[in-house]
Amino acid sequence: MRETFEPKKPKKQTTIYLIGFMASGKSTIGRLLARRLEVPWIDLDSMIAKREGATISEIFSERGEQYFRKAEAAELQNIQAAAVHRGAVVSTGGGAPCSTENLSLMKQTGIVIYLKVRARELLRRIGEGSSRPVFMKMKQHGNKQARAKKLLKSREPFYNQAHITLRNSRNRDPEEVVEYIAQKVAAGWTQPPYP
Ligand code: S3P
């Protein structure tokens, strides 16, 4: 019998959670990856904003970070339940996996991929943007950099528990990262437990 070498199509029911610090490329990679895997792309922050009828900045400034974190945890539960049969790529916010409950939920229901970017590169990207809600009260650039550094350090222990860590440095082509993940999914990253 002749063998055919058709590339394997990724299984559709896989849910992939992208985690990582602000500005690590979770949305860019998420959107492209969902298209590549032919599954819905879900952006956790957009879902929260839609449900709350307010932007993330408004939620932070008018209702506070604690309120936001509760909404974030609840939305993650909803998304997980909706994605369980058909799969999805979920781009999370930088703080979403930094709670034991959220992280275990993601790890039990999908593949968790940490998009890791060097601290210096992240700080540069964050420094450029003006209005990240977690830095809202900080006017000076130096202040923001110090807070970002501290935040990153406190979050790394959570990020490092992802099933897979992928370096997403400045000159890495997003399509290349997407293709890498897609091939791995096709090769069997489909069901827990993961390596
Ligand atoms: C946050 C990151 C944001 C958003 C919110 C809080 C954080 O998402 O969820 O502003 O605590 O790191 P991005 O990581 O997409 O910027």
Side-chain angles (χ1 to χ4, degrees):
M1 198 173 84
R2 277 187 66 192
E3 275 185 306
T4 52
F5 291 97
E6 291 267 306
K8 270 194 220 163
K9 263 203 138 195
K11 290 211 174 125
K12 285 200 171 182
Q13 70 273 24
T14 311
T15 298
I16 295 180
Y17 297 96
L18 298 178
I19 67 166
F21 207 62
M22 288 163 271
S24 57
K26 294 164 296 194
S27 299
T28 308
I29 302 281
R31 193 168 30 81
L32 294 171
L33 182 62
R35 194 162 58 190
R36 169 69 175 80
L37 297 180
E38 298 174 22
V39 294
W41 174 49
I42 302 173
D43 182 71
L44 179 57
D45 279 346
S46 305
M47 299 296 284
I48 300 167
K50 201 168 160 196
R51 191 173 297 275
E52 297 290 327
T55 65
I56 301 298
S57 299
E58 283 164 354
I59 301 172
F60 264 74
S61 62
E62 289 161 19
R63 305 170 207 178
E65 180 165 357
Q66 240 189 332
Y67 181 95
F68 172 78
R69 295 298 169 201
K70 278 194 191 147
E72 187 177 51
E75 201 54 47
L76 195 58
Q77 295 268 3
N78 295 336
I79 286 173
Q80 179 285 120
V84 72
H85 296 301
R86 55 189 184 135
V89 173
V90 183
S91 298
T92 64
C98 306
S99 106
T100 311
E101 291 76 19
N102 290 354
L103 185 60
S104 7
L105 177 73
M106 289 191 263
K107 287 188 73 172
Q108 282 160 17
T109 57
I111 305 174
V112 179
I113 301 179
Y114 170 27
L115 295 179
K116 184 169 177 147
V117 176
R118 247 183 277 140
R120 198 194 296 178
E121 170 68 10
L122 283 175
L123 296 175
R124 190 189 60 79
R125 291 185 199 172
I126 289 164
E128 280 167 1
S130 54
S131 58
R132 300 255 174 199
V134 277
F135 304 122
M136 236 160 23
K137 292 186 193 120
M138 277 157 216
K139 298 265 182 284
Q140 301 133 327
H141 183 74
N143 225 340
K144 200 157 117 181
Q145 294 271 309
R147 161 110 164 107
K149 236 184 200 166
K150 214 169 145 194
L151 203 55
L152 177 61
K153 210 164 172 211
S154 70
R155 287 178 171 183
E156 268 173 341
F158 291 98
Y159 296 154
N160 286 334
Q161 291 177 58
H163 295 120
I164 289 131
T165 296
L166 289 182
R167 295 207 165 264
N168 192 28
S169 64
R170 185 172 10 170
N171 38 22
R172 205 155 176 203
D173 179 4
E175 294 284 4
E176 188 196 311
V177 178
V178 164
E179 200 46 44
Y180 177 84
I181 299 173
Q183 292 298 330
K184 290 287 190 184
V185 170
W189 276 6
T190 50
Q191 299 296 327
Y194 306 107

